[in-house]
């Protein structure tokens, strides 16, 4: 069904510029080995994006004007899994080493992509990860039912076979000095993510039973894969300012009445995980109004369709509600028992065109709640520790400031992923890591020339 479009808008919709028509055609012709080669030219980890990417490429597919688009994401996954199954993905260490050493801090998708690209260039790369497991959000945040962890381990093992060195339990800026790394390496790339979660500053936030999504989701992943929950909890508590310690048992939601605040992917993951843990009920509240079922006139193809999306987690069981503001939380003996909310209306200001939020009088309500999960997005990177020690400049949005080459205001210190872009997709993180790797390579090439 992939046509000769003339202008393949799917490529413009893809953040990493996958050459989609080419590998679609190669699959059509049965040339699978060439298809994986073409796919790897732009995407280091198609087995990740083929599972968890929301596929903006499909939103931009020309067929999508008036018909279901080509299932690009499924084809991408088929190509890479066929390659693994037929031994087409083998370790390919660089033939020559430059003698330059690079430290990549953070092992999420941006860090892994950056490390992979730099290693291919012949630089000696060491990845530092503060947790006990490699993968960042791929391993800790995304549930197993969307991305099983053996998929991440398979790729990480291949990178290790190609010469990338991985160090876990190394919290740069806390247990290991960032400036010490500066003195040991020719360049540093910070890929620590946007870990500062948006807070809920209302009465009752301090009650037991109110947790950020990234305090909740990793525990299930760690249990499923026999990693230490306690080590993660301690690292998270030490790392994020203002977070109170909690035991794994306190956060487990078996037979509890769960409410998830936030309607995005993280909220959906909380819904799916809560159902798997045997929650008595699961509600998901969103501050914004319910999106339309189809594209609006102001949201034409090939832009990303701003429509109501239902994930497999939603299909498994949840009551979703929109335009809800949480006003306060109450409990007994220090434990959460009730959420107090109010319904909203969203009206466009005729003078400015801006949509403004207003509370609907008399719409106040209460709902029983044993576990409240905050999945309301992230405000940028955590500054204490590594960022403060290195003295990098922060931009107006609260992210690490970087130039076009992804170098920060400190020479030789680069950044990539959510740490500089802000909260985003895995596919954008891969793009960021690849861009940073090119910037680092140019920087190191000048050093070699001198």
């Amino acid at each position: 069904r992939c046509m000769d479009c003339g202008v393949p808008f799917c490529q413009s919709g893809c953040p990493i510029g996958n050459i989609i028509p080419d590998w679609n055609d190669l699959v059509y012709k049965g040339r699978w080995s060439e298809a994986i080669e073409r796919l790897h030219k732009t995407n280091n980890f198609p087995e990740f994006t083929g599972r968890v990417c929301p596929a903006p490429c499909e939103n931009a597919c020309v067929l999508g004007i008036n018909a279901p688009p080509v299932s690009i994401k499924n084809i991408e996954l088929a190509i890479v899994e066929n390659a693994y199954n037929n031994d087409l993905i083998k370790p390919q260490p660089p033939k020559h080493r430059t003698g330059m050493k690079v430290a990549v801090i953070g092992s999420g998708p941006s860090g892994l992509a950056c490390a992979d690209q730099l290693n291919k260039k012949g630089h000696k790369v060491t990845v530092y990860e503060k947790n006990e497991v490699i993968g960042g959000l791929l391993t800790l945040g995304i549930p197993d039912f969307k991305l099983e962890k053996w998929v991440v381990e398979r790729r990480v093992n291949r990178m290790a076979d190609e010469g990338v060195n991985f160090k876990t339990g190394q919290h740069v800026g806390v247990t290991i000095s960032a400036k010490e790394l500066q003195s040991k390496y020719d360049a540093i790339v910070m890929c620590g993510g946007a870990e500062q979660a948006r807070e809920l500053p209302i009465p009752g936030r301090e009650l037991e039973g109110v947790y950020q999504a990234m305090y909740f989701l990793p525990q299930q992943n760690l249990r499923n894969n026999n990693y230490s929950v306690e080590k993660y909890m301690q690292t998270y508590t030490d790392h994020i300012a203002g977070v109170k310690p909690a035991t794994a048992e306190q956060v487990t939601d078996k037979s509890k009445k769960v409410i998830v605040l936030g309607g995005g992917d993280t909220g959906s993951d909380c819904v799916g995980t809560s159902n798997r843990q045997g929650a008595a009920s699961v509600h998901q509240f969103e501050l914004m109004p319910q999106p339309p079922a189809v594209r609006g006139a102001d949201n034409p193809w090939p832009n990303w369709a701003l429509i109501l999306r239902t994930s497999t987690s939603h299909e498994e069981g949840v009551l979703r509600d929109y335009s809800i503001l949480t006003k306060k939380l109450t409990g007994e003996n220090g434990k959460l028992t009730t959420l107090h909310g109010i319904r909203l209306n969203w009206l466009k200001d005729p003078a400015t065109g801006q949509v403004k939020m207003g509370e609907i009088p008399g719409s106040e309500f209460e709902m029983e709640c044993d576990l409240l999960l905050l999945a309301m997005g992230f405000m940028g990177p955590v500054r204490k520790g590594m960022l403060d020690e290195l003295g990098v400049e922060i931009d107006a949005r609260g992210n690490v400031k970087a130039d076009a080459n992804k170098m920060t205001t400190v020479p030789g210190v680069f950044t990539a992923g959510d740490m500089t872009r802000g909260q985003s997709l895995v596919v954008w993180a891969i793009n960021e890591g690849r861009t940073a790797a090119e910037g680092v390579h140019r920087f190191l090439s000048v050093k070699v020339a001198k």
Side-chain angles (χ1 to χ4, degrees):
R1 295 174 63 237
C2 186
M3 306 179 298
D4 182 8
C5 300
V7 179
F9 282 88
C10 57
Q11 291 181 201
S12 66
C14 178
I16 49 179
N18 277 333
I19 313 168
I20 295 163
D22 283 21
W23 40 259
N24 275 352
D25 186 56
L26 290 167
V27 169
Y28 169 68
K29 293 175 179 175
R31 292 155 60 178
W32 291 88
S33 61
E34 294 172 73
I36 187 61
E37 183 180 342
R38 192 67 53 89
L39 181 51
H40 268 152
K41 284 184 182 296
T42 54
N43 189 352
N44 302 69
F45 314 123
E47 64 268 43
F48 303 161
T49 53
R51 286 174 166 86
V52 303
C53 185
C57 54
E58 294 182 19
N59 273 243
C61 173
V62 173
L63 275 177
I65 297 174
N66 58 4
V70 172
S71 53
I72 298 166
K73 177 178 170 180
N74 288 345
I75 297 169
E76 178 181 44
L77 182 59
I79 292 171
V80 67
E81 290 304 322
N82 175 276
Y84 274 116
N85 292 337
N86 289 281
D87 201 26
L88 298 178
I89 300 180
K90 299 178 181 179
Q92 296 179 343
K95 295 180 180 179
H96 304 286
R97 289 290 180 184
T98 64
M100 291 289 175
K101 298 186 299 180
V102 182
V104 175
I105 304 168
S107 68
S110 63
L112 291 178
C114 184
D116 194 35
Q117 290 296 104
L118 287 170
N119 185 62
K120 285 179 168 63
K121 298 286 188 183
H123 307 302
K124 190 61 181 174
V125 182
T126 301
V127 177
Y128 288 82
E129 170 57 52
K130 67 177 179 291
N131 292 298
E132 297 300 312
V133 55
I134 296 295
L137 282 178
L138 296 169
T139 302
L140 294 171
I142 300 174
D144 279 10
F145 58 82
K146 288 173 63 176
L147 178 64
E148 292 175 289
K149 304 319 163 201
W150 64 262
V151 176
V152 182
E153 291 173 3
R154 179 177 62 181
R155 179 63 72 165
V156 169
N157 289 339
R158 179 176 178 268
M159 291 174 62
D161 291 340
E162 292 178 337
V164 178
N165 186 27
F166 292 95
K167 292 189 175 184
T168 59
Q170 302 288 312
H171 196 167
V172 178
V174 178
T175 61
I176 181 172
S177 167
K179 292 198 171 182
E180 180 184 339
L181 294 187
Q182 264 188 304
S183 65
K184 290 182 178 180
Y185 291 90
D186 298 291
I188 292 176
V189 190
M190 302 185 300
C191 302
E195 295 184 301
Q196 195 70 61
R198 182 176 280 107
E199 259 301 338
L200 185 68
I202 62 172
R205 168 62 180 92
E206 75 286 351
L207 291 169
E208 183 182 314
V210 185
Y211 299 104
Q212 291 287 355
M214 280 305 294
Y215 210 56
F216 166 75
L217 290 172
Q219 295 187 28
Q220 186 67 27
N221 288 339
L222 292 166
R223 287 193 195 94
N224 287 347
N225 295 279
N226 298 316
Y227 291 112
S228 171
V229 176
E230 287 70 25
K231 285 184 179 179
Y232 172 80
M233 301 280 280
Q234 191 59 54
T235 300
Y236 185 90
T237 302
D238 292 344
H239 185 49
I240 308 294
V243 173
K244 59 185 179 184
T247 68
E249 190 60 35
Q250 284 177 315
V251 184
T252 302
D253 68 338
K254 187 174 182 180
S255 300
K256 291 185 178 180
K257 299 179 180 69
V258 180
I259 299 177
V260 179
L261 297 186
D265 288 340
T266 304
S268 171
D269 292 345
C270 288
V271 168
T273 301
S274 296
N275 280 326
R276 281 160 176 76
Q277 291 187 355
S281 64
V282 183
H283 288 73
Q284 186 176 21
F285 292 163
E286 168 60 54
L287 185 72
M288 302 300 293
Q290 180 173 329
V294 296
R295 288 180 184 269
D298 59 348
N299 179 216
W301 175 90
N303 294 323
W304 174 255
L306 302 173
I307 59 175
L308 179 65
R309 300 177 189 276
T310 300
S311 70
T312 55
S313 293
H314 294 140
E315 292 173 348
E316 291 166 357
V318 64
L319 294 173
R320 290 196 277 178
D321 210 342
Y322 298 85
S323 297
I324 289 179
L325 176 67
T326 304
K327 297 288 286 185
K328 68 175 182 178
L329 307 170
T330 56
E332 296 177 2
N333 301 318
K335 294 185 178 181
L336 174 68
T337 60
T338 309
L339 178 144
H340 303 257
I342 190 169
R343 297 192 175 275
L344 306 170
N345 56 21
W346 294 86
L347 301 175
K348 183 177 288 187
D349 187 328
T352 64
Q354 292 181 328
V355 178
K356 294 187 177 180
M357 177 183 79
E359 298 181 3
I360 300 176
S363 67
E364 297 87 351
F365 68 93
E366 297 179 4
M367 182 171 288
E368 290 184 33
C369 181
D370 302 308
L371 180 65
L372 182 67
L373 300 174
L374 309 181
M376 305 179 299
F378 298 85
M379 304 299 290
V382 175
R383 300 187 192 183
K384 69 172 185 177
M386 176 174 63
L387 300 187
D388 285 346
E389 184 181 350
L390 291 173
V392 296
E393 190 174 332
I394 304 298
D395 66 19
R397 297 177 60 227
N399 302 319
V400 176
K401 188 175 182 179
D403 62 18
N405 291 318
K406 298 298 177 184
M407 188 187 289
T408 69
T409 50
V410 177
V413 177
F414 295 76
T415 185
D418 290 2
M419 183 166 268
T420 182
R421 179 181 174 82
Q423 176 189 357
S424 193
L425 305 173
V426 168
V427 68
W428 270 114
I430 294 172
N431 171 282
E432 285 274 323
R434 291 171 65 92
T435 302
E438 284 300 316
V440 171
H441 181 62
R442 283 191 285 269
F443 173 78
L444 296 179
S445 296
V446 172
K447 291 186 72 172
V448 170
K450 290 181 179 179

